[in-house]
């Protein structure tokens, strides 16, 4: 697999959670297998924001340290102006279709993440979003449940 895998907040949170659970461990092993296979695994800035804000709110310093360590190991995709413009288009289109993923006043991180994936695809990457919520993301970008993306 030579795909570019963008991690949504769900799988990112599982991989950085200091508490051991079967699902968290499976997610960490899945990430290791992807990296080992040569896949480009990216932490999108919007996913970092979603995970980090909750860790900060709950004062979970070990989780913040793990997030920072993972961020140093993997690629990081900052939010660009073009991604935000595309996210606004996606947001509008989703609402016109009656498929909104957040309240009208919300920032709607899913649309920003989908836009970041679309931007990478436009630059020649075979981008896919690893998520726990395929429904909203797959309207505008390739997205699969993280468990369904396999290393080769």
């Amino acid at each position: 697999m030579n795909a570019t895998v963008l991690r949504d907040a769900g799988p990112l949170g599982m991989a950085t959670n200091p508490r051991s659970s079967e699902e968290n461990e499976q997610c960490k092993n899945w990430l290791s297998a992807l990296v080992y296979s040569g896949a480009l695994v990216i932490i999108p800035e919007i996913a970092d924001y979603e995970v980090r804000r909750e860790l900060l709110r709950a004062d979970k310093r070990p989780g913040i340290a793990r997030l920072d360590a993972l961020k140093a190991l993997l690629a990081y995709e900052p939010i660009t102006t073009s991604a935000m413009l595309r996210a606004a288009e996606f947001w509008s289109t989703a609402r016109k279709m009656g498929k909104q993923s957040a309240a009208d006043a919300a920032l709607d991180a899913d649309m920003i993440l989908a836009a970041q994936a679309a931007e990478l695809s436009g630059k020649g990457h075979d981008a896919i979003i690893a998520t726990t919520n395929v429904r909203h993301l797959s309207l505008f970008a390739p997205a699969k449940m993280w468990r369904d993306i396999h290393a080769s």
Side-chain angles (χ1 to χ4, degrees):
M1 176 170 106
N2 291 322
T4 299
V5 180
L6 289 88
R7 298 181 64 118
D8 192 6
L12 182 58
M14 285 185 263
T16 59
N17 192 326
R19 288 192 179 155
S20 182
S21 73
E22 184 175 338
E23 187 173 42
N24 290 346
E25 295 306 314
Q26 288 173 356
C27 190
K28 290 171 190 174
N29 291 336
W30 167 81
L31 173 60
S32 294
L34 278 181
V35 171
Y36 183 76
S37 76
L40 175 59
V41 181
I42 296 176
I43 297 175
E45 186 170 16
I46 191 64
D48 177 83
Y49 164 79
E50 286 186 282
V51 172
R52 186 175 302 275
R53 70 182 180 185
E54 181 57 30
L55 292 170
L56 289 166
R57 184 198 61 77
D59 199 27
K60 294 185 175 181
R61 295 183 197 287
I64 294 168
R66 287 178 181 251
L67 179 58
D68 287 340
L70 190 58
K71 196 170 158 181
L73 283 171
L74 301 176
Y76 183 78
E77 183 66 23
I79 297 172
T80 63
T81 300
S82 61
M84 289 303 287
L85 294 173
R86 188 174 286 200
E89 291 175 18
F90 289 172
W91 182 93
S92 174
T93 300
R95 272 147 184 76
K96 289 176 183 176
M97 293 169 47
K99 298 187 184 242
Q100 67 190 54
S101 61
D104 284 347
L107 183 61
D108 203 344
D110 283 351
M111 295 301 100
I112 296 169
L113 178 56
Q116 285 191 281
E119 292 284 305
L120 284 168
S121 292
K123 294 175 183 173
H125 290 269
D126 185 16
I128 186 164
I129 300 168
T131 186
T132 57
N133 177 20
V134 174
R135 193 179 69 167
H136 296 121
L137 292 165
S138 64
L139 290 171
F140 302 105
K144 287 186 178 182
M145 292 294 289
W146 64 268
R147 292 173 192 226
D148 295 336
I149 299 172
H150 302 287
S152 58

